[in-house]
Amino acid sequence: MASSKQRARKVARARYERQMINRARRERRRRQMQAGIGATVLLALIVVGSVWLLGGFSGDKKTPTAQDQCTWTPRNASDANLADVGLPPTKGLPTSGTRPMTITTNSGVISVDLDLAAAPCAGASFAHLASRNFFDNTKCTELTTDGALRCGDKAGNGLGGPTYSFYGENVPAAAEQPSPSASPSAAASTPVTYPRGTVAMIANPPGSFGSQFLIFHKDARVAQPAYAIIGRVSQGMDVLDKIVKAGTVANADGQLVTPKNDVVIQSLTVGGAPTAAPTPASTTTPSATPSAS
């Protein structure tokens, strides 16, 4: 009789312990769910608050400015190829319209419209360098195989620039190239990457833009574009054609093909306040008979 009562107590105790364990598990799951919901709500409140603080719910959309985009990265000031001209400003930089740049060479004047909407940092950098007379009395160092006159190298050896660099803007996407078996006509139909009259920056080293720039005297098809487009020639393509027509020579070390007649930038200036972006019809490069190349 006693053993039956003991067994009954053991069964009842086991049932009670299982009930307590199950109750504890349910309570733990309930607390976990509440904690998860609370964390989710808190995260949502943080996100909403951040968006509100940044003006995400405001009817007035903030216009991006160059100071939100431009990072001037210092370079080795002890490098003899680099000129210390300080850093461009970071406030009040225009990001719309165009800005005139005038390149006065010993061969004539080339006028350029800098595109501040597509390349605001380049526009700010050129204005800064021009204000320091960085380009004055420098020689254009190369007529590239891509069909461009290369200038802006103060050292004259392909390595020159200021003691800062910045990220390249407005680099064209790589165009899909025809297969090796494609006909010559198909290869010729590859889109033009850099149209005649384009002004673009060249990086040295790759990805690091400073002062060197290209003026394209003919349409260029580049499979892997790396030049950042910063503007277009508005006047003076005839000057460029005259430079190209005079021919080229290899420089002393044979690494660069330079214009036969030295091309010296006597002065480079950048205008003041930007103007409104031109209409598509007015962006056409003035007609000038391109030289054979």
Side-chain angles (χ1 to χ4, degrees), residues 92-247:
L93 305 179
T95 59
S96 63
T98 63
R99 201 170 191 177
M101 181 169 74
T102 303
I103 308 169
T104 302
T105 77
N106 59 334
S107 299
V109 177
I110 300 173
S111 300
V112 174
D113 287 332
L114 294 174
D115 188 345
L116 302 182
C121 301
S125 179
F126 268 85
H128 172 74
L129 294 174
S131 71
R132 301 298 191 275
N133 302 317
F134 178 90
F135 299 99
D136 295 3
N137 301 311
T138 60
K139 187 184 296 185
C140 294
T141 54
E142 184 182 10
L143 277 169
T144 72
T145 56
D146 293 325
L149 177 67
R150 178 175 179 175
C151 306
D153 177 6
K154 200 173 183 70
N157 57 8
L159 302 175
T163 50
Y164 68 86
S165 65
F166 60 97
Y167 180 76
E169 311 148 288
N170 202 26
V171 177
E176 184 177 349
Q177 299 300 306
S179 65
S181 60
S183 64
S185 60
S189 66
T190 301
V192 172
T193 319
Y194 299 97
R196 169 176 158 85
T198 296
V199 181
M201 296 201 72
I202 182 170
N204 184 31
S208 180
F209 293 81
S211 62
Q212 297 189 38
F213 62 97
L214 305 170
I215 309 176
F216 284 84
H217 60 84
K218 65 178 182 180
D219 292 346
R221 294 174 170 85
V222 180
Q224 297 295 327
Y227 311 135
I229 297 175
I230 63 171
R232 285 190 60 79
V233 173
S234 57
Q235 292 182 0
M237 285 303 298
D238 57 329
V239 175
L240 191 61
D241 291 335
K242 180 173 64 174
I243 293 169
V244 174
K245 188 175 181 179

Side-chain angles (χ1 to χ4, degrees), residues 66-74 87 90 121 164-167 209:
Q67 62 212 57
D68 301 322
Q69 307 170 30
C70 304
T71 300
W72 314 117
T73 304
L87 298 176
T90 57
C121 301
Y164 68 86
S165 65
F166 60 97
Y167 180 76
F209 293 81

Side-chain angles (χ1 to χ4, degrees), residues 18-33:
R18 287 196 300 271
Q19 290 174 346
M20 291 300 100
I21 291 173
N22 290 335
R23 182 179 298 174
R25 287 174 177 171
R26 288 195 297 271
E27 181 64 20
R28 187 163 57 250
R29 284 197 298 269
R30 185 182 65 82
R31 288 197 299 266
Q32 289 173 342
M33 290 178 65

